[in-house]
Amino acid sequence: MSTVDNSVSGAVPGAPAPRRQPAWLKLWPVQALLFLALLVAVWAVTEALNLVIPAYQGQILLFTGINVIITLGLNLITGVTGQLSLGHAAFMAIGAYAAAICTVSLHLPFALALLLGGLVAALFGVVLGFPTLRLSGDYLAIATLGFAEIVRVVNTNLKITNGAIGYYGIQKRVDLPLVAMLAVAAVAAMAWLENSRNGRAMRSVREDEIAATASGVNTTFYKIQAFAVGAFFAGVGGGLYAHTTTFIQPTDFGFLKSVEQLSMVVLGGMGSIAGTVLGTIVLTAAPELLRFMSNYRMLVYGATLIVLMIFRPGGLLGGVDLRDAVRRALMLGRSRTVRTSVGGDGQ
Amino acid sequence: MRRLSAKGFLALLLVAAMAVSVAGCSTGSSSGKSDNGPIKIGFLGAKTGNVAIYGLNGLKGLHMAIDEINAAGGVLGRQIQLLEEDDAGQKDQATNITTKYVTADHVAAIIGDPTTGITRVAGQIANSHETVIMSFGSTGTGVVEIGPYVFRDTLLDAIAGPAMVDYAISKKGWKNFALVTSKNNDFSVSLSSIFRDAIKAKGGNIVVEESIQDGDTDFSGQVTNIKAKSPDVIVFSGYYTEGGLIMKEVRKQGLNNVVMIGGDGLQGADFWKLGGEATEGSISYAGFSSEQASGKTADFIKKFHDKYNEDPELFAAQAYDAIYIIASAMKAANSADPKVYRDKLAQTKNYEGVSGTITFRENREPLKSPVYLLQVSGAKDPASAKFTLLDKVPVK
């Protein structure tokens, strides 16, 4: 893993502030308000864009947004915490079915259904988190694969999911502004999580579990937490997916879906939020952008993957950190990057 | 760190470039609904992936029909232009394409998807944009219920299943049925419930019900249970691979005079390749057969053979009919605007298609006649075995 990691040493206590920030900016209510303002701004902008962008391109953007939310969850599990998961689509399936059942059978409001979908998925994330205490690497990958198969088979046989026939009659509730807002919120939440003490602990689990334990990091806790949070994101994404396509089947969330999501994370750059977002954009848009090649479309898609991985083995943005860019733009708190770049300005 | 931020900037640029190129590949919006220029028809189906065979076969029928129509002067004096996009059997891609067809290309109709699942997804979008969509393969429930613009021209399992059961009980005198379902196959699960209701309604008994999974290869347990109840016939709602293997096991366990009946899922050469002689005499139904054809169908088969050097199958025939039904509705309404010709389309009655006579009922569900019952013959030699026409059951 060649990710440039500056966050572990990010908060050096007592380091001189490079640029004076107003004290009120550091208050959490102010930051929360700023964050809300950002979300509202995103909503307003996409609402306006929605009028301009043709529906087809809007639809692609919408799926991209949903996939971003899901792959950010996988990035937390696999990229940040280093637990290779081949069963992320299972969490998406759980969230999709849970949210769909909530709105269709239980007549719950859509927002609550999305949240519940995410929470149910998170619950299963905790369940799957436990094997990770004993397994690692390839062995864990096989266990997650097995978990995904179990979820698929259970969904195929349960009555409440309507079995193999699939769950239909879901109302279309998703539009671009909603997805854009949630995707931005997901990026911000991930950036905040990864840059916190919690996130640094997760990274330490990835870098060296034994050393992390020796330094007093409760690796069990952080691994299960990564699975829970990652699954939550996948669950919310699944709920959005179900309310976009209006019809879901167990086969929609098979092994290939998990591999596709892992490809997005790996292609973008494991452990990098910006990379994950970019990888997801590329792999979601590629099948549509390549339509002019008609029958050679999927061939070129595969070849593109191979070529990219040969020339960028660390992923497209392996080593690039979106968090610092966001911080600089919003002047939220301090990080070493700010210091360095400000120092650079002074030269 | 400066380098990193430069990279970050580059990344943003890339994202922006991506967004612009996505936006840029809009195909303009010359309307198919306008009164001049070609009438645009969108094909929706898989050209790649697991279910590509249905889409590709459908395309053959579509191309043939459109060539014929255009050679004869087109519809309302306008040529038909077919747009072909591949949905790869994926719901998200199908969503994208359908959106493109109805909002950017302004197609007059969408023909597809051959599968029930994707038709449910695409139907929702087409219906909300008041564009006609006609599936040439979906047979499951929850399709035409979506709304007034969703159609299909297939032989419904809900019509063919009971016809098959009726034939088994009244013509063959079978009373005791063993019903086998493949639990992880959506088609099989819904067909089994149709068979179950039909058997009960027509006075048969289900003496044993067993379930299997697609992909299973050992059916000794299920067959032992079936043998214990000594049924007259085995009803299997799944696909040919498992069907062939089940029959092989049935003969192995000494159940010698029981055959299998089922839906069109049994129609594949692997049925007798895997089952061998055990499949001799097994019966399945279909909405199309290239045997003993007459009139329009015979003509279609000959022309199809000339063009592609193979016999047409169900999906090609139904896709061929789909475009002709829409074309005749356009002629009747004197308009290619789906909002206008939809009413005429819904009133289609006794249309003589190559895959049978088609009437749309009040709820737009197709009533197709006849149901073709096909029987496996010559299974002793898998190379020359085939389905021969057993009976044509008219449906009223």
Side-chain angles (χ1 to χ4, degrees):
Chain A
M1 191 57 51
S2 63
T3 10
V4 177
D5 197 339
N6 49 41
S7 53
V8 176
S9 57
V12 184
R19 186 168 54 188
R20 202 156 288 156
Q21 280 183 340
W24 57 267
L25 249 182
K26 293 177 194 162
L27 295 171
W28 72 262
V30 177
Q31 298 199 350
L33 275 178
L34 276 176
F35 178 61
L36 277 180
L38 172 71
L39 289 189
V40 171
V42 168
W43 176 79
V45 168
T46 37
E47 193 73 55
L49 273 178
N50 215 7
L51 301 173
V52 188
I53 302 179
Y56 169 53
Q57 282 76 14
Q59 192 65 51
I60 301 172
L61 283 177
L62 194 147
F63 277 120
T64 308
I66 294 176
N67 284 341
V68 161
I69 296 170
I70 296 169
T71 51
L72 279 175
L74 180 61
N75 182 49
L76 186 75
I77 299 171
T78 302
V80 178
T81 318
Q83 310 297 310
L84 182 55
S85 168
L86 284 177
H88 203 58
F91 296 127
M92 183 186 170
I94 292 168
Y97 274 107
I101 289 168
C102 279
T103 55
V104 177
S105 305
L106 305 177
H107 306 290
L108 292 179
F110 175 53
L112 184 62
L114 266 191
L115 184 69
L116 283 176
L119 288 178
V120 173
L123 189 72
F124 281 93
V126 173
V127 172
L128 180 60
F130 278 101
T132 62
L133 307 181
R134 290 175 166 274
L135 300 171
S136 63
D138 313 348
Y139 305 102
L140 173 64
I142 301 296
T144 55
L145 184 69
F147 171 75
E149 277 302 291
I150 292 171
V151 168
R152 192 178 61 80
V153 170
V154 168
N155 281 339
T156 307
N157 288 285
L158 278 184
K159 242 200 169 89
I160 192 169
T161 60
N162 205 17
I165 295 173
Y167 201 85
Y168 58 90
I170 309 169
Q171 285 290 312
K172 187 166 180 156
R173 300 279 181 82
V174 177
D175 59 1
L176 190 55
L178 174 73
V179 170
M181 211 164 69
L182 288 179
V184 169
V187 169
M190 279 296 171
W192 172 74
L193 176 64
E194 285 181 25
N195 203 36
S196 66
R197 182 173 184 276
N198 208 317
R200 289 189 289 277
M202 285 173 166
R203 272 171 204 272
S204 74
V205 172
R206 177 190 76 196
E207 295 303 331
D208 193 330
E209 219 179 307
I210 297 171
T213 313
S215 325
V217 172
N218 183 351
T219 54
T220 307
F221 174 74
Y222 288 109
K223 282 198 278 188
I224 292 184
Q225 193 196 43
F227 270 98
V229 176
F232 176 81
F233 278 70
V236 171
L240 290 171
Y241 178 86
H243 290 84
T244 304
T245 59
T246 68
F247 170 57
I248 47 175
Q249 279 172 302
T251 45
D252 294 344
F253 313 102
F255 176 57
L256 280 179
K257 195 78 179 179
S258 294
V259 169
E260 194 185 305
Q261 289 161 353
L262 190 64
S263 311
M264 289 171 181
V265 173
V266 174
L267 179 84
M270 292 230 274
S272 154
I273 292 176
T276 301
V277 172
L278 184 62
T280 306
I281 292 173
V282 169
L283 288 194
T284 309
E288 298 298 324
L289 290 182
L290 295 172
R291 285 213 175 271
F292 68 93
M293 306 207 173
S294 71
N295 293 344
Y296 298 99
R297 187 166 68 106
M298 295 322 277
L299 194 78
V300 174
Y301 176 89
T304 314
L305 267 186
I306 295 174
V307 170
L308 278 173
M309 287 328 283
I310 289 175
F311 288 102
R312 293 286 299 171
L316 285 173
L317 291 183
V320 181
D321 210 325
L322 186 72
R323 285 170 297 159
D324 291 317
V326 171
R327 277 165 168 276
R328 271 197 303 277
L330 296 179
M331 299 181 299
L332 293 178
R334 279 170 283 148
S335 80
R336 208 182 64 170
T337 320
V338 174
R339 279 195 292 279
T340 335
S341 58
V342 171
D345 283 340
Q347 282 168 2
Chain B
M1 281 303 139
R2 287 228 109 178
R3 231 187 79 240
L4 276 192
S5 79
K7 266 193 189 171
F9 180 69
L10 200 69
L12 279 178
L13 260 185
L14 262 173
V15 173
M18 212 69 187
V20 169
S21 60
V22 174
C25 74
S26 154
T27 45
S29 55
S30 61
S31 175
K33 291 171 185 169
S34 70
D35 286 340
N36 39 44
I39 297 174
K40 287 184 186 170
I41 304 275
F43 160 82
L44 182 69
K47 289 158 84 178
T48 56
N50 289 340
V51 289
I53 188 74
Y54 307 139
L56 292 171
N57 278 327
L59 264 181
K60 285 179 188 164
L62 273 186
H63 282 153
M64 203 171 123
I66 290 174
D67 287 352
E68 286 172 17
I69 293 172
N70 284 343
V75 178
L76 309 173
R78 296 160 65 186
Q79 297 281 294
I80 290 182
Q81 182 194 353
L82 186 68
L83 308 177
E84 294 173 25
E85 298 288 7
D86 170 28
D87 66 24
Q90 307 276 333
K91 294 191 181 69
D92 43 2
Q93 293 198 27
T95 306
N96 290 337
I97 295 164
T98 312
T99 308
K100 174 175 170 284
Y101 280 157
V102 296
T103 61
D105 301 322
H106 298 287
V107 295
I110 295 172
I111 305 221
D113 183 281
T115 65
T116 302
I118 292 193
T119 307
R120 285 188 190 130
V121 173
Q124 203 92 28
I125 302 165
N127 189 64
S128 66
H129 286 86
E130 297 174 315
T131 304
V132 165
I133 178 167
M134 185 174 302
S135 167
F136 57 89
S138 78
T139 54
T141 50
V143 174
V144 296
E145 290 90 326
I146 292 169
Y149 287 87
V150 183
F151 292 83
R152 52 180 165 182
D153 69 341
T154 54
L155 174 65
L156 298 183
D157 296 326
I159 290 171
M164 172 103 231
V165 170
D166 192 48
Y167 183 88
I169 292 177
S170 56
K171 291 266 172 65
K172 292 281 188 183
W174 293 325
K175 284 290 256 187
N176 298 322
F177 296 81
L179 181 59
V180 184
T181 310
S182 178
K183 282 294 228 188
N184 60 346
N185 179 332
D186 54 346
F187 168 74
S188 176
V189 174
S190 55
L191 181 55
S192 271
S193 80
I194 290 168
F195 275 140
R196 197 177 297 122
D197 294 345
I199 291 169
K200 280 179 193 152
K202 294 182 194 299
N205 307 314
I206 299 175
V207 292
V208 54
E209 266 204 57
E210 287 293 325
S211 51
I212 63 156
Q213 302 262 341
D214 274 9
D216 284 358
T217 49
D218 177 15
F219 303 106
S220 48
Q222 288 95 337
V223 172
T224 307
N225 291 345
I226 291 171
K227 192 185 170 194
K229 305 282 182 182
S230 52
D232 299 327
V233 63
I234 296 171
V235 184
F236 177 54
S237 54
Y239 288 159
Y240 46 80
T241 314
E242 289 73 25
L245 293 172
I246 290 172
M247 285 315 289
K248 200 169 184 180
E249 181 67 28
V250 164
R251 292 288 180 273
K252 197 173 135 199
Q253 295 202 12
L255 211 55
N256 284 330
N257 36 25
V258 174
V259 300
M260 175 176 277
I261 63 177
D264 47 9
L266 291 183
Q267 281 164 25
D270 277 353
F271 187 49
W272 49 76
K273 279 186 189 150
L274 291 166
E277 220 183 325
T279 59
E280 181 78 28
S282 291
I283 307 170
S284 78
Y285 65 74
F288 180 75
S289 164
S290 56
E291 266 186 69
Q292 299 177 25
S294 58
K296 206 171 167 182
T297 311
D299 220 36
F300 166 70
I301 293 166
K302 191 185 166 299
K303 280 189 287 184
F304 193 94
H305 209 281
D306 288 347
K307 186 163 175 146
Y308 299 110
N309 203 22
E310 64 183 43
D311 276 345
E313 48 70 82
L314 180 68
F315 290 94
Q318 288 181 167
Y320 182 90
D321 279 343
I323 184 94
Y324 266 109
I325 294 171
I326 288 177
S328 65
M330 284 174 177
K331 276 178 202 158
N334 197 25
S335 167
D337 184 341
K339 287 193 221 41
V340 180
Y341 78 78
R342 191 217 75 91
D343 295 340
K344 293 284 178 200
L345 184 60
Q347 290 161 12
T348 302
K349 225 181 166 83
N350 294 324
Y351 174 83
E352 287 289 333
V354 297
S355 64
T357 313
I358 299 160
T359 300
F360 289 126
R361 286 186 289 197
E362 198 95 321
N363 58 1
R364 293 180 318 289
E365 282 288 32
L367 187 67
K368 278 185 86 167
S369 182
V371 175
Y372 295 86
L373 296 183
L374 308 172
Q375 189 169 35
V376 176
S377 68
K380 201 179 282 185
D381 175 20
S384 65
K386 61 176 181 173
F387 272 107
T388 53
L389 190 65
L390 181 67
D391 203 353
K392 285 187 197 177
V393 183
V395 180
K396 285 172 282 296

